[in-house]
């Protein structure tokens, strides 16, 4: 059994005479916009921090990094060092000056090197290293102790002074 129930409908709320929306609705909308703006700024800053910045290196910087690695890899083996030095010098000349030698030998590279913008002293030094590396990598004579370290420091010093620009 249920008890009797009565229902009364109240009179309609009066409309504001000036037609302006309620201030609470504006406040809610403004708050939502502020929250969305802050959230998008936080997300954008996190994405910007995560994106790795690619560092562009010059051919000389790449050469110096490879030279240091070559010295570590070759240890006291001068022939291995000379072989790697020859390859790295050719790679540097190809990257820096778009040098395409006529042949694979050091003499062909030295001839092609004459067309570059290097000074005569720089051409002479690089040419001597190329020719020496080509000869010593097949030489049956053992080199003096510490030769790889001396040669690496000589090449590094030359490139740091003359090629880093």
């Amino acid at each position: 059994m249920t008890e009797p129930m009565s229902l009364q409908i109240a009179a309609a709320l009066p409309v504001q005479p000036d037609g302006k929306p309620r201030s609470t609705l504006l406040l809610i909308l403004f708050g939502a916009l502020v929250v969305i703006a802050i959230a998008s700024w936080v997300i954008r800053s996190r994405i910007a921090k995560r994106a790795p910045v690619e560092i562009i290196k010059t051919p000389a910087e790449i050469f110096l990094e490879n030279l240091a690695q070559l010295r570590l890899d070759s240890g006291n083996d001068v022939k291995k060092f000379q072989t790697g030095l020859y390859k790295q010098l050719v790679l540097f000349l190809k990257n820096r000056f778009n040098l395409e030698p006529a042949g694979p030998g050091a003499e062909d590279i030295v001839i092609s090197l004459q067309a570059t913008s290097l000074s005569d002293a720089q051409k002479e030094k690089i040419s001597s290293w190329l020719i020496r590396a080509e000869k010593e990598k097949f030489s049956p004579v053992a080199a003096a102790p510490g030769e790889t370290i001396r040669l690496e420091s000589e090449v590094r010093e030359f490139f740091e002074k003359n090629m880093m620009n």
Side-chain angles (χ1 to χ4, degrees):
M1 246 190 168
T2 61
E3 293 185 16
M5 179 170 33
S6 64
L7 182 64
Q8 291 183 352
I9 299 176
L13 293 174
V15 176
Q16 293 180 353
D18 56 0
K20 294 182 183 177
R22 295 189 174 173
S23 61
T24 56
L25 181 62
L26 281 176
L27 188 60
I28 291 172
L29 286 175
F30 180 73
L33 285 175
V34 168
V35 168
I36 290 172
I38 291 172
S40 64
W41 179 77
V42 168
I43 291 171
R44 184 183 227 182
S45 66
R46 284 190 179 180
I47 290 173
K49 286 181 183 176
R50 270 193 243 159
V53 177
E54 184 176 331
I55 298 172
I56 299 173
K57 296 180 182 177
T58 65
E61 290 171 337
I62 294 169
F63 175 81
L64 289 174
E65 286 178 3
N66 292 342
L67 184 66
Q69 186 62 43
L70 174 64
R71 188 178 66 88
L72 290 174
D73 293 344
S74 62
N76 286 332
D77 188 359
V78 176
K79 292 179 183 184
K80 186 175 181 181
F81 181 79
Q82 288 287 22
T83 302
L85 178 63
Y86 183 86
K87 290 176 184 177
Q88 291 304 319
L89 284 170
V90 171
L91 183 64
F92 167 75
L93 294 172
K94 185 179 264 187
N95 290 340
R96 172 88 185 265
F97 301 106
N98 295 325
L99 189 68
E100 291 296 331
E107 293 296 330
D108 297 323
I109 296 169
V110 169
I111 292 169
S112 300
L113 185 62
Q114 298 306 317
T116 62
S117 62
L118 293 171
S119 71
D120 290 336
Q122 292 171 336
K123 291 176 190 176
E124 177 74 29
K125 197 69 161 168
I126 292 174
S127 299
S128 69
W129 286 327
L130 285 168
I131 293 169
R132 179 180 170 194
E134 188 175 58
K135 287 179 184 176
E136 284 189 9
K137 65 182 176 180
F138 299 114
S139 173
V141 179
E147 183 65 19
T148 56
I149 295 171
R150 188 200 61 75
L151 184 58
E152 188 266 343
S153 65
E154 178 185 338
V155 173
R156 175 173 298 284
E157 182 180 338
F158 173 81
F159 270 82
E160 286 174 348
K161 285 183 181 176
N162 298 306
M163 299 298 169
M164 301 296 280
N165 52 6

